[in-house]
């Protein structure tokens, strides 16, 4: 059968046609599908915690914050009994995976650094509570001021979360390790609160 000259394939065109027809069968048997191109990325588990800030709205007996140190306006009233105190500490926070929050107190209360012996009529420590609000959870750490010892609270969170972590600091009026409404001995009362986020 003759082929009109205008449609007669050249040897090169014939070869290309044969390769195009043979390539799919060869590719299936020997190599992955050339049209599938996997693209991969990776995000590591990470928790971030920003600088603490004081929420002044609704605060009671709040003094000043210098750096990360909070000084109360006045720990006692005119009768040397503990003043009620309340304020919120906020920190921007982010965890992209299930994680845990640990809130701890170094001393388990505000302890007087200079009055080891003050007599039975004076308190030398002030109990307080810290209430954690994070990712729909609200839990309280009690710092009872029984003995100067560290205490902590671990909160597992089963999902990623990103928002503002809030700690509510609260001292009841008249609170003292020597009993309610007992006057406090002179001195500097202190504790250190620590907050950490970590991957489970």
């Amino acid at each position: 059968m003759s082929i009109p000259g205008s449609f007669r394939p050249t040897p090169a065109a014939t070869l290309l046609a044969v390769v195009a027809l043979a390539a799919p069968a060869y590719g299936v048997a020997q190599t992955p599908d050339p049209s599938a191109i996997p693209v991969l990325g990776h995000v590591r588990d990470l928790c971030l915690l920003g600088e603490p800030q004081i929420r002044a709205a609704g605060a009671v007996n709040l003094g000043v914050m210098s750096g990360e140190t909070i000084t109360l306006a006045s720990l006692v009233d005119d009768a040397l009994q503990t003043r009620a105190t309340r304020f919120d500490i906020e920190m921007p926070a982010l965890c992209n995976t299930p994680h845990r929050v640990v809130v701890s107190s170094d001393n388990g209360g505000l302890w007087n650094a200079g009055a080891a012996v003050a007599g039975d009529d004076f308190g030398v420590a002030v109990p307080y509570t810290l209430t954690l609000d994070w990712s729909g959870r609200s839990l309280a750490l009690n710092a009872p001021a029984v003995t100067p010892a560290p205490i902590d609270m671990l909160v597992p969170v089963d999902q990623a979360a990103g928002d503002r972590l809030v700690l509510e600091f609260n001292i009841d009026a008249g609170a003292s390790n020597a009993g309610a409404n007992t006057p406090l001995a002179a001195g500097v009362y202190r504790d250190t609160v620590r907050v950490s986020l970590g991957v489970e």
Side-chain angles (χ1 to χ4, degrees):
M1 181 175 70
S2 65
I3 300 175
S6 60
F7 290 100
R8 185 182 300 275
T10 65
T14 303
L15 178 61
L16 289 175
V18 171
V19 171
L21 292 174
Y26 178 80
V28 169
Q30 302 294 328
T31 62
D33 181 356
S35 66
I37 305 173
V39 178
L40 304 177
H42 179 70
V43 178
R44 66 190 179 96
D45 296 344
L46 186 65
C47 288
L48 302 172
L49 188 61
E51 295 294 323
Q53 297 177 339
I54 294 292
R55 183 192 292 173
V60 176
N61 193 35
L62 176 61
V64 296
M65 183 171 186
S66 176
E68 296 182 357
T69 300
I70 300 168
T71 302
L72 304 183
S74 179
L75 187 57
V76 296
D77 59 19
D78 292 341
L80 299 182
Q81 296 173 359
T82 307
R83 286 186 185 273
T85 300
R86 184 198 174 282
F87 56 86
D88 291 344
I89 304 168
E90 291 186 341
M91 288 164 276
L94 175 68
C95 276
N96 65 354
T97 186
H99 57 283
R100 64 184 179 273
V101 184
V102 178
V103 180
S104 64
S105 157
D106 281 7
N107 297 330
L110 292 172
W111 283 85
N112 189 322
V117 179
D120 295 337
D121 295 332
F122 291 88
V124 293
V126 176
Y128 65 85
T129 60
L130 281 174
T131 302
L132 168 71
D133 185 3
W134 169 247
S135 187
R137 292 157 175 80
S138 182
L139 296 170
L141 171 72
N142 292 311
V146 175
T147 57
I151 58 172
D152 59 46
M153 171 178 65
L154 187 150
V155 181
V157 181
D158 60 1
Q159 61 188 9
D163 202 348
R164 300 191 73 79
L165 185 150
V166 179
L167 285 176
E168 178 187 309
F169 184 92
N170 188 81
I171 298 175
D172 291 334
S176 165
N177 70 318
N181 300 316
T182 303
L184 297 181
V188 176
Y189 290 71
R190 68 175 66 218
D191 193 9
T192 300
V193 174
R194 304 181 189 276
V195 183
S196 65
L197 293 179
V199 177
E200 278 288 346

